[in-house]
């Protein structure tokens, strides 16, 4: 198979816009990705996306950020702060797995640490499956583990969540409750759209499993990358630390980190028919295009000669986002983009009027607590994947919760 790699930002953007290029990177993880929104192409993808985007009713992101997430943030951080610190990877997963479960529609009736840990363990296994193409592990062994995780997830979490929502939907149809009384999540939307979707149970498992791993895995890693970049940038410079007391500036820092560290450093696309692609030439259906987001987001023609450097004051290029292609582009752009990264806030905007996004909110809170790396226990990379992620990131807190 001939492989073409695009590193030019505009060429990658054009390829993402092209409706005749299909998703091609997650085939290896079919045990969890087959038939999901991520893998669909063309009209089936547009139909699925239209149905599932119904969860984003008016002001959903603002509602979640202002009304739901603050309590989750405080509750999750409290034991880490009381202990003086902990592993930021673990902390990030605890925060984001609950966030993603709320959004996806996975109930956690016990609300215990053990229940959360179980869900994190299963979600991490789904993430390993989805990114199997980049895994350094034995694929057969990993797939067997994923199938066990899927069965456990279904029994413990998904089937009870479906049952509760079906009961609520029956009450709604009978006029016993109002539409606003229904859960605002993907699973409820899927159940309401069953006539259009025609999901069997295995497809429901994969669809919700996909949302769980995509939401929690990418968000947790984005938090760690942002903290690493910010701490290195601030160093011992008191003036820079003073700037980090401004939550709007911190959001800009996070967006710059998201540009440098896209959750998926590359996307793979395959032609559905013979075609010409700028930067790759004439392609046949058996060929592959790799869209190199990592390097495209560092394109000096767009982001400047210092594009490899973390520079939070870098302006968004004309016709591009400050985060680059990190949330994708075109029909496959990330549905949770505004939930994760918020809407870029203009300097001087009152914080109460801003939509910061979940990743910036976590980073803002961590910095307010004096989060720092542990001098004699440095972070270590994740050796289970070739993706540039951290496997362990110890931090300590200098302040208490207020």
């Amino acid at each position: 198979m001939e492989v073409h790699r695009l590193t030019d930002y505009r060429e990658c953007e054009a390829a993402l816009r092209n409706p005749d290029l299909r998703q091609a990177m997650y085939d290896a993880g079919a045990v969890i990705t087959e038939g999901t929104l991520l893998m669909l192409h063309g009209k089936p993808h547009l139909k699925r996306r239209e149905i599932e985007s119904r969860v984003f009713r008016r002001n959903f992101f603002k509602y979640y950020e202002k009304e739901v997430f603050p309590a989750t943030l405080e509750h999750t951080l409290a034991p880490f702060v009381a202990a003086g610190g902990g592993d930021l990877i673990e902390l990030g997963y605890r925060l984001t797995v609950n966030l993603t479960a709320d959004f996806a529609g996975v109930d956690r009736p016990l609300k215990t640490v053990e229940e959360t840990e179980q869900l994190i363990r299963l979600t991490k296994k789904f993430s390993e499956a989805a990114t199997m193409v980049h895994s350094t592990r034995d694929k057969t062994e990993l797939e067997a583990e994923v199938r066990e995780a899927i069965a456990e997830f279904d029994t413990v979490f998904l089937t009870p969540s479906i049952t509760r929502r079906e009961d609520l939907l029956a009450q709604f149809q009978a006029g016993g409750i109002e539409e606003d009384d229904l859960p605002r999540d993907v699973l409820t939307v899927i159940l309401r759209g069953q006539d259009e979707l025609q999901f069997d149970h295995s497809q429901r498992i994969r669809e919700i499993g996909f949302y769980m791993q995509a939401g929690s895995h990418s968000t947790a890693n984005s938090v760690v990358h942002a903290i690493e970049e910010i701490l290195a940038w601030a160093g011992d410079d008191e003036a820079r630390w003073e700037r980090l007391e401004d939550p709007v500036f911190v959001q800009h820092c996070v967006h710059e980190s998201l540009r440098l560290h896209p959750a998926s450093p590359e996307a793979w696309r395959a032609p559905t028919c013979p075609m010409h692609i700028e930067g790759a030439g004439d392609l046949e259906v058996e060929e592959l295009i790799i869209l190199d987001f990592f390097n495209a987001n560092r394109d000096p023609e767009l982001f400047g000669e210092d594009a490899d450097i973390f520079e939070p004051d870098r302006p968004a290029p004309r016709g591009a986002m400050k985060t680059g292609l990190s949330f994708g582009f075109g029909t496959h752009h990330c549905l949770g983009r505004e939930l994760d990264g918020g809407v870029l806030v203009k300097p001087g905007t009152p914080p109460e009027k801003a939509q910061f996004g979940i990743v910036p909110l976590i980073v803002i809170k961590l910095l307010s607590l004096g989060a720092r790396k542990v001098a004699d226990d440095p972070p270590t990379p994740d050796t289970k994947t070739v993706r540039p992620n951290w496997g362990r990131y110890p931090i300590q807190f200098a302040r208490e919760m207020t």
Side-chain angles (χ1 to χ4, degrees):
M1 176 191 296
E2 189 168 357
V3 178
H4 309 265
R5 179 177 288 272
L6 301 184
T7 59
D8 178 86
Y9 187 97
R10 294 303 184 192
E11 290 177 353
C12 288
E13 183 183 67
L16 290 171
R17 288 180 186 269
N18 193 316
D20 295 320
L21 290 173
R22 66 170 180 84
Q23 173 72 261
M25 188 165 74
Y26 297 98
D27 295 6
V31 63
I32 195 66
T33 63
E34 183 181 4
T36 63
L37 177 67
L38 177 70
M39 298 295 288
L40 295 180
H41 179 73
K43 289 183 179 180
H45 173 263
L46 291 175
K47 180 180 179 181
R48 178 83 59 83
R49 191 178 183 91
E50 187 277 325
I51 292 171
E52 294 183 359
S53 65
R54 293 171 190 170
V55 72
F56 307 123
R57 288 184 281 167
R58 189 166 177 255
N59 291 328
F60 172 83
F61 293 126
K62 188 174 182 180
Y63 154 79
Y64 197 93
E65 180 175 312
K66 303 295 187 185
E67 304 296 330
V68 179
F69 188 65
T72 298
L73 182 60
E74 295 290 321
H75 175 77
T76 307
L77 275 170
F80 287 88
V81 176
D87 184 358
L88 186 53
I89 306 288
E90 180 186 356
L91 171 56
Y93 260 101
R94 284 202 192 177
L95 279 167
T96 58
V97 82
N98 283 306
L99 157 70
T100 309
D102 286 337
F103 165 69
V106 177
D107 294 338
R108 290 91 67 217
L110 301 179
K111 305 295 183 185
T112 62
V113 172
E114 291 76 18
E115 183 183 57
T116 298
E117 291 298 328
Q118 182 181 21
L119 189 55
I120 289 172
R121 173 173 54 80
L122 297 173
T123 300
K124 284 184 175 180
K125 193 58 61 178
F126 297 162
S127 295
E128 277 195 83
T131 58
M132 197 177 295
V133 69
H134 291 141
S135 177
T136 58
R137 296 190 53 206
D138 178 84
K139 305 300 190 291
T140 302
E141 179 181 316
L142 176 54
E143 184 168 327
E145 292 174 3
V146 174
R147 292 189 183 281
E148 290 180 4
I150 286 172
E152 183 179 347
F153 175 70
D154 181 25
T155 300
V156 177
F157 292 103
L158 189 60
T159 291
S161 299
I162 290 173
T163 300
R164 187 173 79 84
R165 282 157 182 75
E166 287 178 337
D167 289 343
L168 289 170
L169 287 169
Q171 293 178 49
F172 170 63
Q173 292 296 330
I177 60 174
E178 300 296 324
E179 184 167 13
D180 285 346
D181 297 321
L182 296 174
R184 299 176 70 172
D185 54 51
V186 174
L187 182 56
T188 300
V189 169
I190 286 174
L191 295 173
R192 294 186 74 177
Q194 178 60 23
D195 289 344
E196 298 172 87
L197 293 171
Q198 294 296 304
F199 274 5
D200 61 19
H201 189 61
S202 63
Q203 187 59 60
R204 288 176 181 169
I205 297 172
R206 289 193 299 274
E207 192 77 357
I208 298 302
F210 152 67
Y211 273 103
M212 286 299 302
Q213 70 83 19
S216 57
H217 181 73
S218 59
T219 305
N221 281 317
S222 294
V223 168
V224 182
H225 285 305
I227 287 292
E228 169 71 9
E229 291 287 2
I230 289 170
L231 294 182
W233 174 81
D236 296 322
D237 189 326
E238 290 186 12
R240 289 187 171 186
W241 280 109
E242 286 181 12
R243 295 192 68 190
L244 289 167
E245 294 175 8
D246 175 11
V248 174
F249 178 68
V250 175
Q251 190 210 40
H252 286 229
C253 289
V254 171
H255 279 223
E256 173 73 347
S257 177
L258 286 166
R259 177 185 70 85
L260 291 170
H261 305 282
S264 180
E266 59 190 32
W268 294 6
R269 295 291 187 266
T272 56
C273 59
M275 65 180 68
H276 179 84
I277 295 295
E278 192 68 31
D282 295 324
L283 277 70
E284 299 296 330
V285 293
E286 67 270 14
E287 297 183 48
L288 178 70
I289 305 174
I290 295 179
L291 310 180
D292 187 341
F293 293 165
F294 184 87
N295 286 300
N297 280 357
R298 297 163 185 246
D299 190 332
E301 290 191 13
L302 220 66
F303 296 99
E305 291 302 319
D306 63 347
D308 282 326
I309 297 172
F310 177 80
E311 175 45 75
D313 291 315
R314 187 187 311 280
R318 188 177 183 85
M321 298 185 69
K322 191 175 176 70
T323 54
L325 296 172
S326 294
F327 288 105
F329 203 82
T331 59
H332 274 282
H333 80 267
C334 176
L335 276 172
R337 180 176 63 195
E338 289 187 14
L339 184 63
D340 252 13
V343 177
L344 190 63
V345 183
K346 294 181 180 179
T349 300
E352 64 273 11
K353 294 184 178 296
Q355 185 181 325
F356 288 107
I358 297 304
V359 176
L361 282 176
I362 295 172
V363 174
I364 289 166
K365 187 66 177 180
L366 290 171
L367 293 175
S368 75
L369 292 167
R372 301 290 189 275
K373 289 195 280 189
V374 180
D376 59 353
D377 193 7
T380 55
D382 186 352
T383 58
K384 298 190 297 298
T385 178
V386 297
R387 292 190 175 198
N389 293 332
W390 294 102
R392 196 172 153 276
Y393 200 100
I395 59 168
Q396 57 191 13
F397 294 110
R399 306 187 190 105
E400 297 181 353
M401 299 277 283
T402 56

